[in-house]
Amino acid sequence: MMTTAAFVLQLVSAVIQVIYIFKKESRDRFSHYFLLASGLLLLTTIVTRSVQIRFVAVTNTFESLVFFSAVIMFILFFIKLKIQDRPASLLNFGVTMLSIALLAIASSPLAPKDILEPIPALQSNWLILHVTFAFIGEAFFAISFISAILTLSSKDVEKKNIFDWVTYTSIAIGYPIFTTGALVFGAIWASYAWGRFWGWDPKETWALITWLTYSGYLHLRFIKKKSGTLISWAAIIGFIFTLFTFFGVNFLLSGLHSY
Amino acid sequence: MLQAGESFALPDGSDITLLSFDIEYYEDGRPRDWISRVRLSSGKDVEEFSLEVNQPLRHGPYRVFQNTFDIRPYAVVVLDKQKYKMGLKDGLETEEGGILYLAGVREADGESTGKFFFIEAPGAKEYKEVTIREGADFKGIRIEELFTVRASGLQIVYQPGNAWIMAVLLLFCIGLAITFYQKLGDGMK
């Protein structure tokens, strides 16, 4: 019920955003509050389920998607506070639509909504750190994905630069969080659960591919001082790998991460 | 795979004996925890530990993990005045030529029970479950006792450099933080 309400709030926000995108003379002052409310509702969903299962509810696809969407909402809200001008509206709309798509998948039969206590393998504090940090990092990558698309599609140089800056900033913040959560905390948890730090499980392998892609992006940015078209493609490919690491591995490739 | 009372030796000469193995279930029958109570005997030192998933036993460079479990059915039967202990998938030929097998079947509450299955003739593909109570006869085979025993699957991993790997991961995180602190200062203006 709360997830549905959050979904509706995102839809309402998207409609308001579209109106203001076409209404060029005035500035959108409301839509991001719907996003904040949506994020809070999604977070409440996680808290409610956590109380019911007496464990942090990030143990299945549905809960992960809800958490993912909640984090995106909070980041979007702060981006809107930080960037008040029109490019933010386009960015917010694109990311809101992405989040709506994530919640649509969460509501589909692909993601069972049963409230289930975690199986023994998942009962670890390292799991909580691993999953939450990974998704917070990926939420920043989601922002970078849309801003990279907007960088490529914008003809106006000023807008292009703003979107490029958002892409870079999102990846620069998301990368260390993702690295710590997905790789470092994941490796430590694996050593406690399975007796090895790395096992070339499909999810691990694809997470590494994703990490290398974003490492490549940052290398091009930091060392080669590249910006614009080339590295925007790297950001787009990075997020496609992120999505495949999550959905593709969950639904197509079985392994130790198939929960 | 150990049953309570059984032991195995670690490569350094220490012994691990399984004292007990418990399975806890949620109300819907899904497993909540697998707990092996073990005794580690290393020279004169004897200590007891509880092993659970995600909570391995550390002993020098070795880690002992709660890896899997099994619920094994057993039956004590009498055939031609001879007493036999039937284990999982053991078969006994009846007087008429069919074979009585024992198998473990998982019930809805998550527990397993031993059940008998009967094949009319050796090599036949079709089998049927037969309910035989303790103390009853089935085609000349008398079932004296039917019970299940839980077995715990423990995994030993040799991890001599564990502390070093943890140190490397920590250094990696510190390096990442320092790099980003510097680069973000330069690039995010």
Side-chain angles (χ1 to χ4, degrees), chain B residues 57-124:
Chain B
L57 161 64
R58 296 178 187 187
H59 173 63
Y62 300 101
R63 303 283 181 275
V64 184
F65 290 85
Q66 179 64 60
N67 184 250
T68 184
F69 74 96
D70 195 12
I71 300 178
R72 297 168 169 173
Y74 287 97
V76 178
V77 300
V78 179
L79 174 65
D80 293 335
K81 297 178 183 174
Q82 281 278 90
K83 202 175 259 191
Y84 298 95
K85 186 179 178 185
M86 288 175 76
L88 187 68
K89 293 177 184 171
D90 282 347
L92 265 186
E93 196 168 340
T94 65
E95 289 171 347
E96 297 162 17
I99 298 175
L100 188 67
Y101 279 100
L102 182 63
V105 176
R106 185 64 58 91
E107 303 290 348
D109 63 1
E111 286 288 342
S112 280
T113 51
K115 293 203 171 174
F116 289 105
F117 293 86
F118 184 66
I119 296 176
E120 295 283 353

Side-chain angles (χ1 to χ4, degrees), chain B residues 5-132:
Chain B
E6 291 179 343
S7 302
F8 69 92
L10 290 172
D12 68 352
S14 308
D15 266 333
I16 286 186
T17 305
L18 181 70
L19 301 175
S20 64
F21 175 59
D22 292 312
I23 306 171
E24 294 177 357
Y25 293 102
Y26 292 116
E27 285 178 6
D28 61 3
R30 293 177 318 115
R32 177 163 54 194
D33 211 352
W34 302 312
I35 307 161
S36 290
R37 189 84 193 145
V38 299
R39 185 173 57 226
L40 173 67
S41 308
S42 181
K44 289 179 183 174
D45 298 327
V46 178
E47 287 181 276
E48 289 187 8
F49 297 93
S50 270
L51 282 180
E52 294 176 48
V53 180
N54 284 309
Q55 290 179 32
L57 161 64
R58 296 178 187 187
H59 173 63
Y62 300 101
R63 303 283 181 275
V64 184
F65 290 85
Q66 179 64 60
N67 184 250
T68 184
F69 74 96
D70 195 12
I71 300 178
R72 297 168 169 173
Y74 287 97
V76 178
V77 300
V78 179
L79 174 65
D80 293 335
K81 297 178 183 174
Q82 281 278 90
K83 202 175 259 191
Y84 298 95
K85 186 179 178 185
M86 288 175 76
L88 187 68
K89 293 177 184 171
D90 282 347
L92 265 186
E93 196 168 340
T94 65
E95 289 171 347
E96 297 162 17
I99 298 175
L100 188 67
Y101 279 100
L102 182 63
V105 176
R106 185 64 58 91
E107 303 290 348
D109 63 1
E111 286 288 342
S112 280
T113 51
K115 293 203 171 174
F116 289 105
F117 293 86
F118 184 66
I119 296 176
E120 295 283 353
K125 286 181 182 173
E126 287 191 7
Y127 61 88
K128 62 180 179 184
E129 185 185 334
V130 285
T131 305
I132 318 166

